[in-house]
Amino acid sequence: MALLYTGIDKDGKLRRGKIDASDINSAYRLLISQGIKPIKIEEEKKNILSREIIKRKPSQEDLSFALLQLSLLLSSGLNLTKALEVLREQTQDKRLSEAIASIKESIERGEPLPLAFKNAEIFPDFLVEMIKVAERGENLEEIFNIAGNFLQRISDVRARIISSLTYPTFVIVMSFLSVIVVIKFVVPKIASVLASFGKDLPLVTKMLLFISKIIGYLFYLSPFAIALLFFGIKASGREKIDALFLKIPIFGKVSYYFNLSRFAGSLRMALLSGIPLVKALSLSRGSLTNLYMRKSVEGIEEELFKGKSLSEVLKSTGIFPPLFINFVSTGEKGSELEKMLSLLEELYDKQAMRVISFWIRFAEPLSMLVIGLLVAFVVFSVILPITELSAGIKR
């Protein structure tokens, strides 16, 4: 947990800052080891409203750009403190600018660099672990470059998905809203006019009015349905829900492919930055957004300690496909594990995008056909009684 401290350093200067420790006693010992005599240590008070709503975290794209800039500034010969100062001046995102400023202040107070980045609370855990590997800062620019490119890749994939789904989703939603408006407001008025003339409604119009009533009931029952769904998910547990989600056609497959891609990419990135395999696996587990998959790979580090190979350990989880296992096994035998993981990351990324592209091409004309039939049904239900009404008036 994060603790705030006030203390005196070796030069007799007053120091204030934040330290990460399990409890106050651990924080006291850690500060003493850093040459700071604590005067006061207290738990940081966190305002949920300001933390979650007002102080939203920067996007992955902003974080990526900041890390790549920091890598470039360090490569140009600037020291870390000066590079952070320049980066803060160029950053427009307020939350990111504040985090960079806090990192710079922490470093100037003599705090360890990984702790400074961790206390900023906006950077992913794998970056903190990567920074720990960089001794005396000589590899920092490379680490920032690797992490920045990784976050950029994730951001690009997300942007491609959103852009691919935006148009068909907009068309489908607006079409259904138009149909619902006609069903709820137009058809009932026409039906009331026909009833005032003593005309019996056509069967197709009666069906539409029945659907209109069902939609009305569903609207009023929706809060209860949402509450029931929420408590049902909570009672079942997210792990079971995520396991079922993987079995859903299309959506489950896309989620599965993206999780495999992220796992391979984060493991490759961790290994390239010098993190030991056991720790790299622990960090890569956090890249799995599906809780069922994440739980399945828990504890595999212990199997590595027993002398098993990575491919054997991953195979024992039962969630990795044979192709993934074979690539990892090939990489281990040829001492090219990072290269194989890079290929797997690209392969499953393309697989996911191919599934999305195929179903978008297929779903767009299919949705247009379904919506066209719905509109035709509604129009026929409206025009038929109007035609009968006009015929009755002529007679």
Side-chain angles (χ1 to χ4, degrees):
M1 62 180 176
L3 298 169
L4 299 175
Y5 71 86
T6 304
I8 299 174
D9 62 14
K10 295 177 181 178
D11 299 326
K13 294 181 180 179
L14 188 66
R15 297 272 294 273
R16 290 187 178 90
K18 188 190 297 183
I19 190 168
D20 192 65
S22 57
D23 52 41
I24 292 178
N25 290 331
S26 300
Y28 183 88
R29 290 192 296 270
L30 186 58
L31 288 169
I32 291 293
S33 67
Q34 295 176 8
I36 301 172
K37 185 178 180 181
I39 299 174
K40 183 180 180 182
I41 301 176
E42 60 182 356
E43 188 173 347
E44 182 184 16
K45 295 178 181 178
K46 298 178 180 178
N47 187 311
I48 296 177
L49 182 64
S50 63
R51 182 181 171 85
E52 299 297 331
I53 299 177
I54 298 174
K55 290 187 176 182
R56 65 170 186 83
K57 286 190 175 183
S59 65
Q60 286 184 329
E61 187 176 2
D62 289 337
L63 289 177
S64 168
F65 187 63
L67 291 173
L68 291 173
Q69 275 189 307
L70 192 55
S71 173
L72 187 62
L73 290 170
L74 291 173
S75 300
S76 66
L78 294 179
N79 59 44
L80 182 58
T81 306
K82 184 62 177 176
L84 287 169
E85 183 181 344
V86 173
L87 180 61
R88 184 186 63 81
E89 292 173 353
Q90 296 177 353
T91 302
Q92 296 180 351
D93 187 281
K94 185 178 178 182
R95 180 74 177 97
L96 183 56
S97 179
E98 290 174 354
I100 295 169
S102 71
I103 293 171
K104 178 177 174 291
E105 291 171 4
S106 297
I107 294 171
E108 290 175 340
R109 288 196 301 265
E111 288 187 8
L113 185 59
L115 185 60
F117 270 84
K118 185 175 183 179
N119 288 338
E121 298 180 342
I122 63 168
F123 294 100
D125 291 337
F126 69 77
L127 177 63
V128 177
E129 295 299 327
M130 290 170 68
I131 293 173
K132 289 179 182 178
V133 177
E135 297 180 356
R136 296 183 301 279
E138 64 268 17
N139 295 322
L140 274 178
E141 58 267 25
E142 182 62 23
I143 283 177
F144 290 139
N145 184 57
I146 293 173
N149 283 321
F150 179 70
L151 291 177
Q152 183 63 51
R153 196 165 187 276
I154 294 176
S155 178
D156 288 344
V157 169
R158 183 176 297 170
R160 277 190 291 165
I161 295 172
I162 293 173
S163 63
S164 299
L165 295 176
T166 299
Y167 175 72
T169 302
F170 177 78
V171 171
I172 292 170
V173 169
M174 292 306 297
S175 300
F176 272 109
L177 286 176
S178 302
V179 170
I180 290 172
V181 168
V182 171
I183 291 174
K184 286 296 294 178
F185 299 104
V186 178
V187 177
K189 288 184 178 180
I190 295 174
S192 63
V193 172
L194 281 173
S196 66
F197 279 92
K199 293 283 185 180
D200 189 29
L201 295 175
L203 178 61
V204 67
T205 309
K206 288 181 179 179
M207 291 173 58
L208 199 61
L209 287 172
F210 178 71
I211 294 171
S212 174
K213 288 182 180 179
I214 292 178
I215 291 173
Y217 292 141
L218 290 176
F219 177 78
Y220 290 115
L221 290 174
S222 58
F224 300 100
I226 292 171
L228 186 64
L229 180 64
F230 174 77
F231 286 112
I233 291 174
K234 205 166 186 181
S236 302
R238 187 186 157 192
E239 185 179 348
K240 291 182 179 178
I241 298 297
D242 282 359
L244 290 174
F245 182 77
L246 291 176
K247 297 178 181 179
I248 298 175
I250 305 171
F251 297 102
K253 185 178 289 187
V254 169
S255 175
Y256 181 60
Y257 287 155
F258 274 131
N259 273 282
L260 291 177
S261 175
R262 277 196 299 267
F263 181 82
S266 57
L267 182 57
R268 175 188 65 85
M269 182 189 56
L271 293 175
L272 281 175
S273 62
I275 297 175
L277 179 58
V278 174
K279 186 63 179 178
L281 274 175
S282 177
L283 291 171
S284 303
R285 183 167 57 241
S287 67
L288 296 171
T289 55
N290 187 284
L291 189 60
Y292 170 73
M293 295 181 69
R294 195 188 308 167
K295 290 285 186 181
S296 299
V297 297
E298 284 185 354
I300 60 176
E301 296 91 343
E302 298 175 4
E303 299 298 318
L304 287 174
F305 280 125
K306 294 178 182 178
K308 291 185 178 180
S309 65
L310 177 61
S311 55
E312 290 175 324
V313 170
L314 294 180
K315 185 178 181 180
S316 66
T317 63
I319 65 167
F320 292 94
L323 180 64
F324 196 102
I325 303 299
N326 289 335
F327 268 65
V328 172
S329 177
T330 303
E332 286 180 308
K333 292 175 182 177
S335 301
E336 293 183 331
L337 183 57
E338 292 86 352
K339 181 180 178 181
M340 292 296 111
L341 289 171
S342 178
L343 291 174
L344 284 170
E345 181 185 12
E346 186 177 354
L347 172 66
Y348 285 108
D349 185 20
K350 288 182 177 179
Q351 283 277 73
M353 293 307 298
R354 188 170 68 174
V355 172
I356 291 172
S357 299
F358 172 78
W359 283 107
I360 284 177
R361 287 197 303 269
F362 179 75
E364 196 168 332
L366 181 63
S367 62
M368 293 299 104
L369 176 62
V370 172
I371 290 168
L373 292 173
L374 281 174
V375 171
F377 175 69
V378 172
V379 170
F380 186 68
S381 304
V382 173
I383 291 177
L384 186 61
I386 291 176
T387 304
E388 291 187 2
L389 180 60
S390 61
I393 293 173
K394 287 178 181 179
R395 287 197 295 268

